[in-house]
Amino acid sequence: MPSVSYSQIKLGRKCMRAHYYRYVENLRRRRPNRPALVGTIVHDMLHNWVRSKQIAHWKTDAWDALAKYEREYKKLFRGEKEEFGDVPTIAAAIFEGYLRRWRHDGWRYEDSEVSFSTDLTSDI
């Protein structure tokens, strides 16, 4: 049986055509929706924050990652900025809240994201 991610199973149960477009044809939206964009920025910030704690000579920190997205945001048209809102500021606020809550948790982070897959069964 092939191994797949939970996201693949979830999308396949929701719509097989969407699953085909995403995982077989590798098609993506040209422009992500606002929640996905904010999530991408916060995830990138978190990834760089974790890596900078793990690797002494890691080149970028969380705020460098945010600066990259701020430069891209400045290139948007006014209408696009109005549609999305101030995404970099929203992402920064979410990340700062995360740091306030988890900065001194005493945990050792192995990574910011871990791949997980499962084998297909006959009922999936």
Side-chain angles (χ1 to χ4, degrees), residues 86-102:
D86 192 0
V87 172
T89 302
I90 293 167
I94 292 170
F95 186 73
E96 287 169 357
Y98 177 87
L99 289 181
R100 276 193 302 277
R101 173 65 176 95
W102 298 105

Side-chain angles (χ1 to χ4, degrees), residues 11 17-29:
L11 185 58
R17 178 58 66 180
H19 178 275
Y20 175 79
Y21 288 149
R22 165 107 15 113
Y23 295 106
V24 177
E25 293 291 326
N26 291 318
L27 298 178
R28 300 282 191 251
R29 290 177 178 247

Side-chain angles (χ1 to χ4, degrees), residues 40-100:
T40 298
I41 296 170
V42 172
H43 176 77
D44 201 17
M45 292 176 75
L46 177 62
H47 174 75
N48 282 291
W49 181 69
V50 168
R51 287 294 185 185
S52 66
K53 290 174 145 285
Q54 292 174 331
I55 302 169
H57 301 293
W58 186 253
K59 295 179 183 175
T60 58
D61 69 357
W63 305 110
D64 293 334
L66 179 63
K68 176 184 80 172
Y69 288 104
E70 286 173 334
R71 286 190 298 274
E72 292 298 317
Y73 181 78
K74 288 179 182 178
K75 295 178 186 177
L76 296 176
F77 294 113
R78 185 181 318 149
E80 291 174 312
K81 289 179 182 179
E82 289 173 1
E83 180 183 340
F84 278 117
D86 192 0
V87 172
T89 302
I90 293 167
I94 292 170
F95 186 73
E96 287 169 357
Y98 177 87
L99 289 181
R100 276 193 302 277

Side-chain angles (χ1 to χ4, degrees), residues 8 15 25 28 37-38 42 74-75 101 107 115-117 120:
Q8 287 178 301
C15 177
E25 293 291 326
R28 300 282 191 251
L37 182 58
V38 171
V42 172
K74 288 179 182 178
K75 295 178 186 177
R101 173 65 176 95
W107 296 349
S115 295
F116 176 80
S117 65
L120 287 175

Side-chain angles (χ1 to χ4, degrees), residues 49-50 53-54 102-112:
W49 181 69
V50 168
K53 290 174 145 285
Q54 292 174 331
W102 298 105
R103 179 178 286 162
H104 303 294
D105 60 8
W107 296 349
R108 188 176 127 242
Y109 291 92
E110 296 294 328
D111 210 341
S112 61

